[in-house]
Amino acid sequence: MTTFSFELYPPRSAGAESALYLALPHLVAAGPEFISVTYGANGSSREPSLSVLGRILEGTSVQAMAHLTCVGSSYSEASQLIRQFLDAGITSFLALRGDPPVGASEADSFLGDLGSAGELVQLIHRVQAEREQFAVHEVPGFPGAKRIARGRKVTIAVAAFPNGHPRSRSVSQDLDTLLAKEAAGANLAITQLFFHADHYLGFVEQARAAGVTMRILPGIMPVLSVQRLARILELTEEATPVDLERRLSAATDEADQWRIGIDHAVSLGSELIAGGATGLHLYTFNQHEPVLAVLRGAGLLDREKEHA
C-alpha cells in the first residue's frame, strides 16, 4: 500500500498559529501515516514544536514525528531533550545533524558532543532503552496473567539527499553516510526536496546496491510561485528546474502559478509511485489545500475519508 505523510513547522506568530490549526484537521482527516514537526536550530523552537506535537498526540490518532538536531548540544542536553519528547508520548523522530549556526562555517567547532546524525540516532535508542527497559502485557485468555517484553521501540528517520548533500565530496560519501545511519539504528529515510523523478529513483537504486535496506520516502513540495522556488533553491542548493521556473515565470496570475505548481507535483508524485516509491512525504508549508490537491491528482486520497 502506498502511504503519504506531512511535514509542518512551528508557527512564529498568532496569525500563523491560527492558520496552522485550521489546516491541521484537514491534514489529519486525509489519513497520513505520520505528521512530522520541524525543530529550530539550537532548540530555538522547542516549546512551539512540542505544542504542535502535543496537539497531534492528544487530538488525533495520527503518529507524531519530532525533528531533532544535534548541532551545539552536549550529551546531557540532548539526552534531556529526547527524554522530554519521550515523556510527552512521542516515539517517532527525525534525527538530523543540523546546519552550522549563522556566521559559522564547517571549519568551526559548532557540533557539540554529537558529531553526526548517526550518533544522535544511537542516543535516542539509548535514552528510550534506559527509560523503558521492559513492558508488562496481559496474556489473552488467561485473566490476571502477565508477560514481560522489551520496552517499546522508537521509529527514527534520517535525511537522504538524492542529488548529494551540499557539503558532501561525492555520491559515495552520501551513500556511506546513509548506510552508517541505518547501522546506527535508523529505520526510515526521508529525502531532501528534488524536482525530477529520476533523481530519486536513481538514488534509491544506488542506495540498495550499497546495502541500504530501510524505506526511503521521497520528499516533495508543491511550488506555487517563483518566489517560493527561489527560496527553496536557496535553502537546498538544488539545481534550478529550468522548465518549472519558466512556466511559473510565464504564468498570467497567482491562480495560474498555483495550477502549474500542483500539476508539476502531481506529475512528480505519480512518476515516483509508478517507479516503486512506497509513499510520498509532503512538505506542507503549513497549508492543507495544495498537498491535498496533489494527493487527489496522484490518486492517493480517499475522498470519502477526507470528508468523513
Side-chain angles (χ1 to χ4, degrees):
M1 184 179 95
T2 305
T3 66
F4 56 87
S5 50
F6 302 122
E7 178 182 289
L8 302 172
Y9 62 82
R12 298 183 179 91
S13 69
E17 181 178 22
S18 176
L20 170 59
Y21 290 134
L22 284 173
L24 184 58
H26 296 279
L27 297 173
V28 169
E33 179 183 1
F34 61 86
I35 296 177
S36 71
V37 181
T38 64
Y39 179 75
N42 298 316
S44 60
S45 64
R46 177 187 302 188
E47 295 308 319
S49 293
L50 273 169
S51 178
V52 178
L53 289 161
R55 183 71 68 95
I56 297 169
L57 283 169
E58 295 167 10
T60 81
S61 59
V62 175
Q63 183 181 36
M65 176 181 285
H67 290 215
L68 288 178
T69 61
C70 54
V71 165
S73 295
S74 66
Y75 282 115
S76 175
E77 291 168 339
S79 297
Q80 290 174 6
L81 177 60
I82 293 164
R83 182 174 287 275
Q84 182 179 8
F85 278 100
L86 289 167
D87 287 346
I90 295 157
T91 57
S92 183
F93 298 89
L94 175 58
L96 305 164
R97 193 202 75 158
D99 296 321
V102 176
S105 70
E106 289 294 325
D108 299 325
S109 177
F110 61 83
L111 280 175
D113 290 341
L114 297 165
S116 68
E119 291 182 29
L120 180 57
V121 169
Q122 292 176 318
L123 183 60
I124 295 169
H125 279 300
R126 191 178 310 130
V127 171
Q128 171 63 354
E130 293 171 353
R131 179 180 171 278
E132 191 174 324
Q133 297 181 18
F134 62 88
V136 178
H137 301 287
E138 303 284 344
V139 179
F142 296 89
K146 310 286 185 181
R147 64 181 178 86
I148 295 177
R150 289 184 178 180
R152 287 179 300 168
K153 296 295 185 181
V154 288
T155 298
I156 305 181
V158 292
F161 300 85
N163 292 318
H165 191 283
R167 292 178 292 276
S168 175
R169 294 187 301 271
S170 65
V171 174
S172 295
Q173 182 183 8
D174 285 317
L175 294 172
D176 287 345
T177 299
L178 187 59
L179 191 59
K181 292 175 185 178
E182 182 171 13
N187 36 41
L188 176 67
I190 301 173
T191 75
Q192 174 71 278
L193 291 172
F194 57 92
F195 299 98
H196 302 284
D198 287 348
H199 295 173
Y200 167 83
L201 298 174
F203 174 76
V204 170
E205 184 177 350
Q206 290 177 306
R208 298 299 181 228
V212 176
T213 62
M214 61 184 165
R215 290 175 69 202
I216 302 175
L217 291 179
I220 64 175
M221 175 191 281
V223 182
L224 307 181
S225 69
V226 175
Q227 292 77 13
R228 182 175 295 184
L229 177 59
R231 180 59 175 159
I232 291 170
L233 297 177
E234 178 186 351
L235 293 173
T236 64
E237 299 184 33
E238 286 286 306
T240 301
V242 177
D243 181 60
L244 177 59
E245 183 184 47
R246 286 175 177 170
R247 292 172 62 205
L248 288 170
S249 298
T252 55
D253 54 27
E254 289 186 4
D256 198 24
Q257 288 194 30
W258 201 93
R259 179 189 57 77
I260 291 167
I262 297 299
D263 286 349
H264 176 270
V266 168
S267 177
L268 176 59
S270 298
E271 286 186 64
L272 294 170
I273 294 166
T278 61
L280 301 178
H281 184 66
L282 293 119
Y283 298 95
T284 68
F285 215 68
N286 285 8
Q287 298 173 320
H288 66 279
E289 296 97 337
V291 293
L292 296 184
V294 172
L295 292 175
R296 289 188 203 100
L300 294 183
L301 196 59
D302 184 331
R303 292 178 182 271
E304 291 185 6
K305 188 172 185 179
E306 181 186 2
H307 296 288

